[in-house]
Amino acid sequence: MMTARLAAVPRLLAVPALAVLLAGCGIRATEVPTNFGPAPSRVQCSLADPDVSTQAARGLPVQVFLLCGSSLVTVDRTVRVPDGAADSERRILVAQGLLDQLAAPTSAAEKEAGYSTDVRGITVGGPRPGDPDDTLRLSTAPAGLTSYALAQIVCTFSDSAAAEGDGSVVLGGPGAEAPRRYECTDEVRARPGSTEPPSRDAAGE
């Protein structure tokens, strides 16, 4: 019995000694640290709500699609369209205004939120003989645009007065190639860099 008690003494003494060693190493023997600091405060792809009444006073309220992260996001803009413009002329004016807004430098707030654009200096004209009436001819062929720029233009046009309002838009380039009807889908909005807008030949429509 005496021998067993003597053998237990070193073990009992070792417990507080181990606790001291752990404390010396910065490790608490009975607590698990849970405070990893505050979460990051930067919020991307989020802007304050615009003053729509002020925008309307400057022109026609529109929405354009900018890039943020790996997806497309809508931003409120305005375009000026002269009163009394014929429908066909109005479509071209709206389309050019949208392109100008897509190519415009992003504001300081938009930059801070992570917004950007891949559209640069593109002009637009109306249909040629034999094209569908709602064709928009770009100064750069759709096939020559980056997938990001094409997605921005298709999604911006397809949901505007520049198109027929059915989620699609007929686009052609400056050459003799036939125009094609492009669609803005959920997949395109979510992954514009890897998913091109689906399209089909618009000839004969």
Side-chain angles (χ1 to χ4, degrees):
M1 291 292 295
M2 183 64 68
T3 303
R5 289 176 182 175
L6 291 175
V9 170
R11 289 199 297 269
L12 293 174
L13 292 176
V15 172
L18 178 60
V20 171
L21 288 174
L22 290 174
C25 294
I27 302 174
R28 296 183 180 181
T30 58
E31 295 183 16
V32 177
T34 57
N35 183 14
F36 294 98
S41 59
R42 184 176 64 178
V43 178
Q44 286 200 335
C45 303
S46 178
L47 292 173
D49 292 334
D51 186 343
V52 177
S53 61
T54 302
Q55 285 194 343
R58 295 197 301 263
L60 176 69
V62 296
Q63 285 190 324
V64 299
F65 281 82
L66 298 182
L67 301 169
C68 194
S70 59
S71 62
L72 294 179
V73 292
T74 55
V75 175
D76 293 305
R77 292 280 196 270
T78 58
V79 298
R80 290 193 173 276
V81 180
D83 294 334
D87 288 345
S88 57
E89 181 185 5
R90 180 183 176 85
R91 287 183 58 253
I92 303 304
L93 291 172
V94 170
Q96 186 61 62
L98 292 171
L99 286 173
D100 293 342
Q101 291 297 326
L102 285 172
T106 52
S107 67
E110 289 166 350
K111 286 182 180 179
E112 185 176 356
Y115 289 38
S116 65
T117 183
D118 219 36
V119 178
R120 302 286 185 274
I122 299 174
T123 58
V124 64
R128 294 178 181 175
D131 287 348
D133 292 341
D134 56 346
T135 299
L136 296 171
R137 288 271 181 177
L138 304 178
S139 58
T140 299
L145 297 170
T146 66
S147 60
Y148 291 107
L150 181 59
Q152 283 185 262
I153 293 172
V154 168
C155 289
T156 297
F157 280 178
S158 64
D159 193 30
S160 75
E164 296 297 323
D166 62 352
S168 69
V169 61
V170 180
L171 298 178
E177 72 279 359
R180 299 184 65 82
R181 184 173 291 279
Y182 293 84
E183 296 182 24
C184 178
T185 64
D186 291 340
E187 291 76 14
V188 172
R189 288 189 288 267
R191 294 181 294 276
S194 58
T195 304
E196 290 197 355
S199 67
R200 65 178 186 272
D201 190 349
E205 290 188 1

